[in-house]
């Protein structure tokens, strides 16, 4: 065994080790030993040398080189390759077009043709109304219902012009691929979709308010609804007068430069600083006893008697009776289908003849072609008791009715419910079982009943107006008693 000594290489001398470390110039070896007496005056450096980095393993250096080479190769490929084309905008689907045609009141589904792909015959065309769009393909028996998978739809055409085409990426219904939207799709409904969210919310709010206002108007333009209308009108007027009286008593008149006490609904009525508070109007009085609302005696309408409308009425009736068999006795006679324009209050034969002459003169002064209406298969109801469908377009019907309203209002014969009419075609009306009882709200949940989309009332050209007697007595044909029928002029 070797002994440890000064000449043995196994003996590690600390001074020798330090001197070996300080082989580099400009570093004071006495500073490293802690024995330099010069301190800051020393000409050599008193800073410790930086440790040398450990050599990287060969594997790591190789992996880094490979990554660098891969990056450089990718960069060269990116420079050599042509730029990628811009991504095409997403095209609206056939399902979106179907929903737009079904639920947009400004279009008529009968004007559309569907081009679909048959596996054996190629591309075939079929009218849009022939399909049952709410029926699943697997549930269709193809005897009464026609369905088609939406991936087989190739195009939609409107009056002979393609408005949506899958192959050519044509979309003139929504304009999702950059094309111009064609009429009648370029109306207010589409602008509401493309508007900012705030504008859309305001539009939806205004539409909701309008719909609530329409539902709140107790305007049963069907003459058979006049008895209920009169009774409800009397109750409404009495309750309105009583509520006005209570609110008038609750108001406290304030002296000059003060405010009137706020009403119960939260609206503050402030008096002007330099004017005295006006007195409460004299209309806020107790209701006069014995005041009865006037009942309409006659009405002006146009009939809904086209073969397509009568066939659609029968189909709707069969569908509703499967869900509400108890409503069978309340359905109207198909021969009485009509749209009421104005309700009149006429006293005596002289006024009836005068009303007929006014109708003839007003119709004779119309210099427009007859209007054409259609009826979307959307069931609605009045308070769950009257089932009806609305006609479209409302502006055309209103333009036909406006001169009649003005003429009869000037004479004082226009019924108050006809000042803001709610045009409709009555399909069924629930009558109370006994006098004094309230009629059952049978049609409240009619909205959940889905009608087949191929139910089509067709287009109806309004070419004649009727002045009829309001009452339950019908003629042999089943329609109301007609005072006069005036044909509309053809331009």
């Amino acid at each position: 065994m070797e002994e440890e000594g000064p000449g043995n290489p196994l003996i590690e001398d600390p001074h020798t080790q330090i001197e070996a470390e300080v082989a580099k110039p400009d570093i004071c070896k006495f500073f490293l030993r802690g024995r330099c007496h010069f301190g800051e005056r020393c000409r050599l450096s008193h800073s410790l040398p930086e440790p040398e980095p450990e050599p990287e393993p060969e594997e790591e250096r190789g992996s880094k080189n490979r990554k660098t080479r891969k990056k450089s190769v990718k960069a060269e490929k990116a420079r050599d390759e042509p730029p990628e084309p811009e991504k095409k905008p997403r095209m609206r689907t056939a399902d979106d077009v179907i929903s737009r045609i079904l639920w947009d009141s400004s279009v008529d589904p009968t004007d559309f043709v569907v081009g679909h792909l048959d596996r054996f015959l190629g591309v075939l065309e079929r009218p849009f109304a022939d399909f049952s769009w709410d029926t699943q393909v697997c549930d269709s028996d193809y005897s009464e219902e026609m369905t088609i998978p939406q991936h087989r739809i190739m195009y939609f055409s409107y009056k002979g012009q393609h408005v949506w085409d899958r192959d050519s990426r044509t979309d003139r219904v929504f304009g999702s691929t950059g094309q111009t939207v064609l009429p009648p799709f370029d109306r207010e409904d589409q602008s509401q979709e493309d508007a900012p969210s705030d504008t859309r919310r305001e539009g939806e709010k205004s539409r909701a308010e309008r719909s609530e206002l329409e539902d709140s108007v107790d305007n049963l333009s069907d003459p058979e609804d006049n008895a209920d209308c009169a009774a409800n009108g009397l109750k409404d007027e009495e309750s309105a007068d009583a509520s006005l009286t209570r609110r008038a008593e609750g108001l406290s008149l304030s002296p000059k430069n003060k405010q009137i006490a706020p009403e119960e609904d939260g609206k503050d009525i402030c008096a002007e600083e330099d004017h005295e508070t006006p007195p409460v109007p004299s209309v806020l009085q107790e209701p006069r006893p014995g005041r009865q609302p006037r009942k309409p005696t006659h009405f002006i309408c146009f009939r809904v008697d086209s073969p397509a409308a009568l066939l659609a009425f029968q189909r709707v009736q069969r569908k509703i009776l499967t869900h509400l068999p108890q409503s069978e006795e309340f359905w109207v006679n198909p021969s009485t289908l009509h749209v009421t324009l104005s309700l009149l209050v006429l006293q005596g034969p002289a006024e009836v003849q005068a009303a007929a002459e006014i109708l003839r003169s007003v119709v004779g002064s119309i210099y427009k072609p007859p209007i054409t209406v259609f009826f979307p298969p959307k069931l609605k109801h009045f308070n769950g008791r009257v089932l009806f469908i609305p006609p479209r377009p409302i502006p055309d019907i209103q333009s036909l009715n406006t001169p009649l309203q003005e003429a009869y209002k000037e004479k004082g014969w226009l019924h108050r419910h006809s000042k803001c009419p709610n045009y409709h075609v009555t399909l069924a009306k629930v009558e109370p079982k006994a006098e004094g009882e309230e009629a059952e709200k049978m049609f409240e949940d009619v909205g959940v009943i889905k009608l087949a989309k191929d139910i089509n009332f067709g287009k109806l050209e309004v070419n004649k107006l009727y002045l009829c007697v309001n009452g339950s007595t019908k003629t042999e044909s089943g329609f109301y008693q007609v005072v006069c029928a005036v044909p509309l002029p053809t331009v």
Side-chain angles (χ1 to χ4, degrees):
M1 186 173 183
E2 297 181 358
E3 296 180 0
E4 297 180 359
N8 197 330
L10 297 178
I11 299 174
E12 297 181 357
D13 188 2
H15 301 287
T16 307
Q17 184 179 1
I18 294 174
E19 290 178 357
E21 292 179 356
V22 188
K24 296 182 179 180
D26 301 331
I27 299 177
C28 180
K29 61 181 180 179
F30 299 101
F31 167 74
L32 296 177
R33 295 178 181 178
R35 297 178 182 179
C36 182
H37 300 289
F38 296 98
E40 296 179 356
R41 296 178 296 163
C42 183
R43 294 177 298 174
L44 300 177
S45 175
H46 282 194
S47 60
L48 295 175
E50 296 181 359
E52 295 182 358
E54 297 180 359
E56 295 182 358
E58 292 293 333
E59 296 180 357
E60 293 184 2
R61 286 202 300 270
S63 62
K64 287 185 178 181
N65 293 337
R66 285 195 296 271
K67 291 179 181 178
T68 306
R69 282 198 299 271
K70 287 181 180 180
K71 290 182 180 179
S72 61
V73 170
K74 288 182 179 179
E76 291 177 0
K77 287 184 178 180
R79 287 195 300 269
D80 297 338
E81 291 180 356
E84 295 183 0
E86 296 183 359
K87 188 176 180 181
K88 295 181 180 180
R90 178 182 174 273
M91 183 178 176
R92 299 293 284 268
T93 62
D95 186 37
D96 296 334
V97 180
I98 293 170
S99 300
R100 181 68 184 272
I101 297 173
L102 293 177
W103 301 110
D104 191 344
S105 59
S106 63
V107 299
D108 186 3
T110 58
D111 293 333
F112 290 86
V113 174
V114 181
H116 61 93
L117 180 63
D118 188 273
R119 289 184 297 173
F120 306 103
L121 303 177
V123 178
L124 302 178
E125 289 189 348
R126 190 180 293 270
F128 181 88
D130 288 357
F131 296 95
S132 299
W133 298 108
D134 60 339
T135 305
Q136 297 293 334
V137 178
C138 58
D139 298 335
S140 177
D141 56 359
Y142 294 96
S143 60
E144 294 184 359
E145 298 176 330
M146 178 66 183
T147 57
I148 184 174
Q150 294 183 11
H151 68 272
R152 292 190 176 273
I153 297 176
M154 304 306 295
Y155 60 84
F156 294 90
S157 63
Y158 174 72
K159 294 182 178 181
Q161 183 177 6
H162 286 203
V163 294
W164 188 91
D165 193 302
R166 183 192 302 274
D167 292 339
S168 62
R169 290 182 56 85
T170 300
D171 182 9
R172 296 186 177 275
V173 179
F174 301 97
S176 60
T177 55
Q179 289 99 350
T180 306
V181 179
L182 294 179
F185 299 107
D186 56 348
R187 297 189 180 178
E188 181 181 0
D189 293 340
Q190 182 63 16
S191 63
Q192 287 291 341
E193 285 187 9
D194 299 335
S197 58
D198 296 340
T199 308
R200 287 200 302 269
R201 284 195 293 269
E202 293 176 1
E204 293 173 359
K205 183 178 179 182
S206 62
R207 285 195 296 270
E209 292 175 353
R210 287 199 301 269
S211 62
E212 291 177 0
L213 180 60
E214 291 179 358
D215 294 339
S216 64
V217 175
D218 187 12
N219 180 20
L220 303 178
S221 60
D222 190 344
E224 295 182 0
D225 304 334
N226 290 324
D228 296 341
C229 180
N232 293 335
L234 178 59
K235 294 179 182 178
D236 293 343
E237 288 185 359
E238 292 178 354
S239 60
D241 292 342
S243 63
L244 287 175
T245 304
R246 289 194 298 269
R247 292 173 66 181
E249 293 175 355
L251 292 174
S252 60
L253 298 181
S254 302
K256 187 176 180 180
N257 297 333
K258 291 187 178 180
Q259 293 183 345
I260 301 178
E263 297 178 338
E264 293 180 356
D265 59 356
K267 296 181 180 179
D268 296 334
I269 303 176
C270 300
E272 296 183 1
E273 295 183 355
D274 300 333
H275 299 82
E276 295 183 357
T277 304
V280 179
S282 59
V283 71
L284 303 176
Q285 298 175 355
E286 292 293 335
R288 296 193 299 271
R291 184 176 64 177
Q292 299 292 336
R294 298 187 301 172
K295 296 182 179 180
T297 60
H298 296 74
F299 63 95
I300 298 174
C301 68
F302 62 85
R303 299 185 65 174
V304 182
D305 53 0
S306 63
L310 297 178
L311 179 61
F313 172 82
Q314 295 175 359
R315 294 190 60 185
V316 172
Q317 185 179 22
R318 288 198 302 267
K319 181 68 174 180
I320 299 300
L321 289 180
T322 58
H323 296 270
L324 300 172
Q326 68 274 20
S327 66
E328 182 176 5
E329 59 179 314
F330 302 117
W331 284 79
V332 302
N333 190 340
S335 59
T336 63
L337 295 177
H338 66 279
V339 176
T340 301
L341 299 179
S342 298
L343 296 171
L344 305 179
V345 182
L346 305 177
Q347 305 296 334
E351 292 187 356
V352 174
Q353 294 300 324
E357 292 298 329
I358 291 176
L359 177 61
R360 295 188 184 96
S361 63
V362 171
V363 171
S365 62
I366 296 177
Y367 298 100
K368 298 179 181 179
I371 65 172
T372 301
V373 298
F374 63 95
F375 305 90
K378 299 178 183 179
L379 297 178
K380 297 186 178 182
H381 63 88
F382 287 128
N383 201 21
R385 300 185 178 96
V386 178
L387 181 67
F388 69 94
I389 56 173
R392 294 289 186 271
I394 294 297
D396 293 350
I397 301 174
Q398 184 60 41
S399 65
L400 178 64
N401 190 29
T402 298
L404 296 173
Q405 289 177 310
E406 294 175 352
Y408 290 120
K409 184 177 180 181
E410 184 178 355
K411 290 288 186 179
W413 298 339
L414 187 67
H415 193 265
R416 61 189 180 93
H417 288 165
S418 291
K419 296 178 180 178
C420 184
N422 191 350
Y423 303 108
H424 64 278
V425 179
T426 300
L427 305 179
K429 181 193 173 186
V430 181
E431 299 287 352
K433 296 181 180 180
E435 187 177 356
E437 292 185 1
E438 197 174 75
E440 181 183 357
K441 298 181 179 180
M442 192 175 299
F443 301 111
E444 277 187 323
D445 299 329
V446 74
V448 300
I449 301 176
K450 293 184 178 180
L451 299 178
K453 291 301 181 291
D454 59 345
I455 293 180
N456 184 15
F457 284 80
K459 289 185 177 181
L460 177 68
E461 183 176 334
V462 181
N463 51 20
K464 189 179 291 186
L465 298 183
Y466 298 85
L467 175 60
C468 302
V469 179
N470 177 23
S472 58
T473 304
K474 306 293 190 300
T475 60
E476 295 180 357
S477 63
F479 195 63
Y480 298 88
Q481 296 181 4
V482 179
V483 176
C484 68
V486 182
L488 293 174
T490 57
V491 178

